[in-house]
Amino acid sequence: RADLKPIGDAPLMACGYTGVMPKLSEFRQRMMAPLLLVLMASSPCAGQYEVEPFDAAVQQLSKAVRYRPNNQNHALLLSLRELKDPSLRPLFQALIQSEHWTLQVNGMLGLGEIDPAGCIDPYHLKQLDQPAARLQAMQQAVFMELLGTEQISQILGWDDLQPIERIILYAELQRNGIKPDLDALGELARSEEDEIAGLASLLLNENGDAKPLDAFQQRLGKLTLRRKSELLAELARVSEQCGFENSIVFFMSEASDTGLTMETKAALLSVILSIDPGQGVKLWQAIINRDRSQRTLMRFGMILLGAHDRIPASTYDQMRNGDVLLEAMANAGEAMSNGTNQAGALISLNELRHHL
């Protein structure tokens, strides 16, 4: 949505920001050299006309800091962020003051990426007044590991946190080896929202309390198959990202449901392989033995390849069916497992130019 209110300037002015877009003259000495390469390269007209390099860079920079529908300027902003250049700080501060939340989030993440401690400022996160925008920004910051323990503790003190935001922060603490608030998780595990209850139950299970997860599994059985599939896929992805190793019994039990969607089966296989490759291989074999279509072999073969050298080399023979692509995938898997000719096998797979 483009109707977010502008963020107030006063707090940032106290941090040295004037509340206005830095003048272009300020960028000339500090920014133009690194920006020229990335901005010129990303311009759709690059190479077609002779243009003054500085003018071209200014034109592209102006496009980057204005909201454009369908995230059309995201590639430019991402290119700028990937420079991780501290001299871009004024630009990122200006983005935080922009009119659209997508630009604000890019500014927040950009500042976090050049921060000496590698963390975002929780104040910038709090200024996102659209709940969905703040949630997405928080998820991205966690994924990019731009939230440290100090920042998480500060955010957990906010009185307007959504339950899903609190769960995300507790999961990040758990991933970093810090025990979350178990009493608060107990309350969240009783939530009427399935996602909240499921994630809280998984976190409690990681901390030695299996009862909430047992109760949640009973709750899962009462859902429609479609809803159950969607929920399990989401829980599996979060568990894999956070390394919830105690969840394997729960996921193995649910994976036995043959009515689950292919997407859910793929998510369950991926998390189980990440925790226990042996159990994962058994599940993989069960899936491809029930369905040896080309699509299934390719999709689940790629998941198996993602487990790298933890899979016995002989396992990959089971995906062979004479197809050139599947043969190349099996050869690549065996090479990674055996540690021999890995580069050659992967190059051969890549040379097929198949859109996997």
Side-chain angles (χ1 to χ4, degrees):
R1 294 177 53 185
D3 56 350
L4 293 183
K5 299 177 181 178
I7 300 173
D9 292 340
L12 282 180
M13 291 174 69
C15 299
Y17 178 60
T18 63
V20 297
M21 179 68 182
K23 295 179 180 179
L24 288 174
S25 58
E26 297 175 12
F27 285 104
R28 187 184 296 269
Q29 292 298 323
R30 293 185 296 157
M31 298 185 184
M32 283 302 122
L35 288 182
L36 284 175
L37 290 176
V38 64
L39 293 177
M40 290 294 289
S42 60
S43 171
C45 298
Q48 296 183 19
Y49 308 99
E50 290 187 8
V51 183
E52 182 68 27
F54 177 78
D55 293 338
V58 168
Q59 183 181 30
Q60 292 299 310
L61 186 61
S62 298
K63 292 180 180 179
V65 297
R66 290 197 302 268
Y67 172 69
R68 301 172 69 189
N70 302 320
N71 274 338
Q72 293 175 11
N73 54 350
H74 179 68
L76 285 171
L77 292 172
L78 187 59
S79 297
L80 291 172
R81 284 173 42 202
E82 287 179 346
L83 291 172
K84 293 183 173 56
D85 185 349
S87 66
L88 291 171
R89 183 178 302 278
L91 172 64
F92 295 137
Q93 289 175 325
L95 287 173
I96 287 177
Q97 299 296 304
S98 62
E99 80 285 1
H100 196 270
W101 70 268
T102 58
L103 300 179
Q104 295 166 6
V105 170
N106 269 291
M108 180 194 73
L109 296 175
L111 287 173
E113 288 169 316
I114 62 175
D115 181 75
C119 294
I120 65 167
D121 185 340
Y123 171 78
H124 296 149
L125 185 64
K126 193 170 182 61
Q127 298 313 295
L128 294 170
D129 56 5
Q130 286 280 350
R134 191 172 76 177
L135 174 60
Q136 185 170 336
M138 183 183 293
Q139 290 173 320
Q140 191 66 22
V142 166
F143 178 76
M144 297 171 64
E145 299 185 3
L146 294 176
L147 277 176
T149 303
E150 181 180 345
Q151 286 75 27
I152 291 176
S153 297
Q154 180 179 340
I155 297 170
L156 283 171
W158 297 349
D159 57 9
D160 64 340
L161 276 184
Q162 302 175 70
I164 187 60
E165 291 177 316
R166 197 170 293 278
I167 285 285
I168 289 171
L169 296 175
Y170 285 149
E172 182 66 359
L173 288 177
Q174 180 75 30
R175 191 182 68 82
N176 290 324
I178 301 172
K179 182 175 290 190
D181 185 335
L182 300 184
D183 291 335
L185 282 173
E187 294 183 14
L188 291 169
R190 294 187 289 273
S191 170
E192 294 182 359
E193 297 181 47
D194 295 326
E195 290 85 355
I196 302 299
L199 289 170
S201 298
L202 286 170
L203 273 165
L204 287 168
N205 186 60
E206 288 300 302
N207 286 277
D209 185 0
K211 291 182 179 179
L213 188 57
D214 291 339
F216 178 74
Q217 193 162 20
Q218 295 297 317
R219 177 170 167 175
L220 268 180
K222 300 176 183 178
L223 300 177
T224 65
L225 189 56
R226 178 178 178 179
R227 176 61 181 141
K228 177 181 177 180
S229 289
E230 293 173 347
L231 186 56
L232 277 174
E234 181 180 347
L235 296 178
R237 284 190 287 266
V238 173
S239 293
E240 182 173 4
Q241 181 181 341
C242 297
F244 291 170
E245 295 187 353
N246 291 350
S247 64
I248 187 168
V249 174
F250 167 72
F251 287 124
M252 282 294 297
S253 173
E254 292 300 328
S256 63
D257 187 342
T258 58
L260 297 174
T261 64
M262 295 298 283
E263 180 184 358
T264 301
K265 291 177 182 178
L268 291 173
L269 175 62
S270 185
V271 67
I272 291 169
L273 279 169
S274 71
I275 300 171
D276 186 335
Q279 292 295 327
V281 166
K282 291 180 181 178
L283 176 59
W284 180 82
Q285 291 170 329
I287 292 172
I288 66 166
N289 285 339
R290 282 195 299 268
D291 179 3
R292 290 194 60 81
S293 66
Q294 190 78 357
R295 181 180 180 184
T296 297
L297 290 173
M298 286 174 53
R299 181 171 192 172
F300 288 89
M302 286 301 299
I303 296 174
L304 200 65
L305 284 174
H308 304 302
D309 57 355
R310 295 175 296 169
I311 305 300
S314 59
T315 305
Y316 292 97
D317 284 336
Q318 298 171 58
M319 75 167 65
R320 298 182 187 274
N321 68 353
D323 176 78
V324 174
L325 176 60
L326 287 170
E327 292 295 323
M329 289 172 62
N331 291 340
E334 290 180 353
M336 288 190 292
S337 294
N338 292 327
T340 58
N341 192 31
Q342 297 181 44
L346 290 171
I347 289 173
S348 296
L349 176 59
N350 183 63
E351 286 178 342
L352 293 177
R353 306 294 183 191
H354 192 284
H355 181 65
L356 293 171

